[in-house]
Amino acid sequence: MKYRSSLLGAAWSVLNPLAMIIVYTVVFSQVMHARLPNIDHSMGYSVFLCAGILTWGLFSEIASRAQNVFIGNANLLKKINFPRLCLPVTVVCNALLNFLIIFSIFTVFLIVTGLFPGFVYFALIPVLLVMVSFAIGLGITLGVLNVFFRDIGHLFEVILQFWFWFTPIVYPPSILPEWVKPYMVFNPLAGVIKACQTILVDGVWPDWYGLLPALSLGILLCGLGFTLFRKHASEMVDEL
């Protein structure tokens, strides 16, 4: 549906992420000669960048679309009686499919360039599951609140921009000023992004304890979001 009017159709779902990976991996490593501290490989920073941005992209797509899913499908909710939780489930499935396409391309790149981390690669599965649970819990909670308080959606888009730069995605945490580092414990995504970068750049197992903030908040927000949804489902249709 997204590419139904385009000449190349579904091929854009491959070409877009492929172009992004080329920019990040080739331009940053070969043109800008960006380097990471303690990483000698010329493409170390490019892999670091892709690992962070692709993971952040999955989080932001799920959370952003979920917080707007009920308002965006207002007409559908008013006209058809169906299990409304199908909507956030569709958002997650669609985001995971997009992520699978782009991350598969990135994985092929790692294999071709000899940078594939080996068996530790599969540690990404529990890391991403933690992040998806956090994203959907946050998205559903904000999605219900956004129906009654429309400023929530606009405010979240602003917060998301600050959140991106407060998370060590395009820079290593080691370059942060000492007074900033203690505040990183309040950023649940810092541990998730660091885990992905550790797996893909260093090829070692991540610090599992670093996932606890995202896991705890994910469970809490999923419980809160589903409770709010069950309690206000009928009021939401009237409000829409």
Side-chain angles (χ1 to χ4, degrees):
M1 292 292 288
K2 183 178 178 181
Y3 302 107
R4 62 183 177 184
S5 300
S6 64
L7 183 62
L8 297 180
W12 285 113
S13 62
V14 175
L15 293 174
N16 278 330
L18 182 62
M20 191 185 78
I21 289 174
I22 289 173
V23 170
Y24 290 153
T25 55
V26 177
V27 174
F28 275 92
S29 62
Q30 304 301 320
V31 178
M32 299 180 67
H33 300 289
R35 293 288 187 274
L36 278 177
N38 304 320
I39 300 292
D40 295 330
H41 197 284
S42 62
M43 289 194 174
Y45 179 71
S46 300
V47 175
F48 174 88
L49 198 58
C50 282
I53 288 182
L54 296 182
T55 308
W56 171 267
L58 176 61
F59 165 76
S60 64
E61 182 176 359
I62 292 176
S64 296
R65 291 182 60 188
Q67 63 92 16
N68 200 42
V69 70
F70 300 118
I71 293 177
N73 292 281
N75 289 332
L76 195 62
L77 289 168
K78 291 176 184 175
K79 295 176 181 176
I80 303 175
N81 187 20
F82 66 100
R84 290 155 190 162
L85 277 179
C86 289
L87 293 175
V89 171
T90 303
V91 167
V92 174
C93 291
N94 189 263
L96 286 174
L97 178 61
N98 292 336
F99 179 78
L100 185 62
I101 292 172
I102 188 171
F103 210 77
S104 296
I105 296 171
F106 180 53
T107 301
V108 170
F109 165 81
L110 292 175
I111 295 172
V112 170
T113 55
L115 297 174
F116 187 73
F119 184 74
V120 73
Y121 174 86
F122 296 98
L124 287 170
I125 296 174
V127 174
L128 293 176
L129 285 176
V130 168
M131 193 200 65
V132 169
S133 67
F134 174 62
I136 192 61
L138 180 63
I140 291 179
T141 302
L142 294 177
V144 175
L145 295 175
N146 199 22
V147 173
F148 301 98
F149 309 100
R150 299 300 172 92
D151 288 336
I152 293 282
H154 300 295
L155 179 62
F156 182 66
E157 293 301 323
V158 174
I159 291 175
L160 207 56
Q161 295 181 47
F162 285 97
W163 202 347
F164 175 86
W165 291 106
F166 186 62
T167 306
I169 295 172
V170 299
Y171 57 86
S174 58
I175 70 168
L176 289 172
E178 289 300 323
W179 66 271
V180 172
K181 291 179 181 177
Y183 294 103
M184 280 296 156
V185 298
F186 299 108
N187 184 353
L189 285 181
V192 174
I193 299 294
K194 183 181 178 183
C196 292
Q197 290 169 333
T198 299
I199 293 167
L200 294 171
V201 178
D202 302 325
V204 298
W205 296 97
D207 174 20
W208 297 111
Y209 290 106
L211 301 176
L212 285 178
L215 179 62
S216 305
L217 280 174
I219 294 172
L220 181 66
L221 288 170
C222 282
L224 177 62
F226 287 119
T227 301
L228 287 173
F229 179 81
R230 282 201 306 270
K231 192 173 180 180
H232 299 287
S234 58
E235 299 171 37
M236 286 168 57
V237 177
D238 296 335
E239 190 69 25
L240 289 168

